[in-house]
Amino acid sequence: STALNELNLVGGESNEDLLKWSSLHFDGIAANLNPPAVTATNIALKNFAAHVLIESNGAMNVTSIVRAGDTNTPPTTSAPSATEPASADGGALKRAFAQVKSLLGMETNTVAAGMPKVEIGTITVENGELHFTDRSVTPPAKAAVNQVNATIQNISTEEMRRAQIHLTAMAGGTGLIEITGQLNPLNAKQATEAKVAMKHVKLNPADPYTGKFLGYRLTRGELNVDVDYSITSSQLKGKNLIVLD
């Protein structure tokens, strides 16, 4: 077994926390070069916190840690011009999503095609936190998902089996989120099933966006969601129940 403990990664123009965890532990690791294969019986991540930050100029802290190509040149971000403010028409958000898309770069199947055989018995996530801050809007938008606990079992690039996923979390400390499903994250062509339930999720974090794009403040409100999706042979079937209160 092996472990990577007490990680603390900072990024962005203000060098704020980007990613940290107390423990990342691997059990039962085995690797082979010919044919290439990697297996692990268990991967456990504990007490992690991730923070996605959009600065007032639209730059994302995530992209600040990625170097362009194989050089030491920092990635460039398109600064707003004098005639086009960063906040105009959601420009900062559009640039942020474009940066994330460029980082992902490839379709899932393309990545899997070039990968060695990979098998992971169980991935567990315990006591996670996800934070989002957007300083390109006024007032700055902030949202958080806490108490993230998840289990993913039976991940494989070779067999036709699908991984079982169960995740629970709290949005803003009050709204329950639960996700269950079956999928193969390393082979997007396989059938996917997912159920997502969200209860009593407060809408207040969206206030800066409603004020900017819709012209009114969002002082209170709740979101309740119950959706059930299945994807087979690129055909999507779903049942949706979304209630705004």
Side-chain angles (χ1 to χ4, degrees), residues 32-33 35-39 106-120 155-158 184-188:
N32 189 40
L33 293 178
V38 178
T39 61
M106 302 179 182
E107 293 292 334
T108 304
N109 287 335
T110 303
V111 176
M115 289 181 62
K117 177 182 177 180
V118 177
E119 289 189 353
I120 303 174
I155 300 174
S156 176
T157 56
E158 291 294 302
N184 189 329
L186 303 176
N187 187 346

Side-chain angles (χ1 to χ4, degrees), residues 9 14 16 65 70 78 83 95 118 145 176-177 182 186 225:
L9 184 65
S14 52
E16 298 179 52
I65 64 171
D70 295 326
S78 55
T83 58
R95 283 194 297 274
V118 177
V145 177
L176 175 64
I177 301 174
Q182 299 183 65
L186 303 176
V225 173

Side-chain angles (χ1 to χ4, degrees), residues 16-149:
E16 298 179 52
D17 284 345
L18 173 61
L19 178 65
K20 60 182 179 181
W21 61 66
S22 65
S23 173
L24 177 60
H25 196 270
F26 300 83
D27 282 324
I29 295 179
N32 189 40
L33 293 178
N34 190 18
V38 178
T39 61
T41 58
N42 183 65
I43 300 175
L45 176 62
K46 295 183 178 181
N47 302 317
F48 84 91
H51 185 197
V52 176
L53 169 65
I54 302 177
E55 299 285 3
S56 57
N57 63 357
M60 287 186 69
N61 62 343
V62 176
T63 58
S64 69
I65 64 171
V66 179
R67 300 293 182 182
D70 295 326
T71 70
N72 291 325
T73 305
T76 58
T77 56
S78 55
S81 65
T83 58
E84 183 181 351
S87 60
D89 299 324
L93 276 176
K94 292 179 181 178
R95 283 194 297 274
F97 283 117
Q99 290 169 348
V100 172
K101 186 177 180 181
S102 67
L103 286 179
L104 296 177
M106 302 179 182
E107 293 292 334
T108 304
N109 287 335
T110 303
V111 176
M115 289 181 62
K117 177 182 177 180
V118 177
E119 289 189 353
I120 303 174
T122 304
I123 298 176
T124 58
V125 176
E126 182 180 330
N127 192 32
E129 297 181 5
L130 303 172
H131 298 269
F132 172 76
T133 303
D134 185 357
R135 294 173 180 161
S136 69
V137 293
T138 303
K142 295 183 179 181
V145 177
N146 311 100
Q147 302 177 38
V148 179
N149 295 282

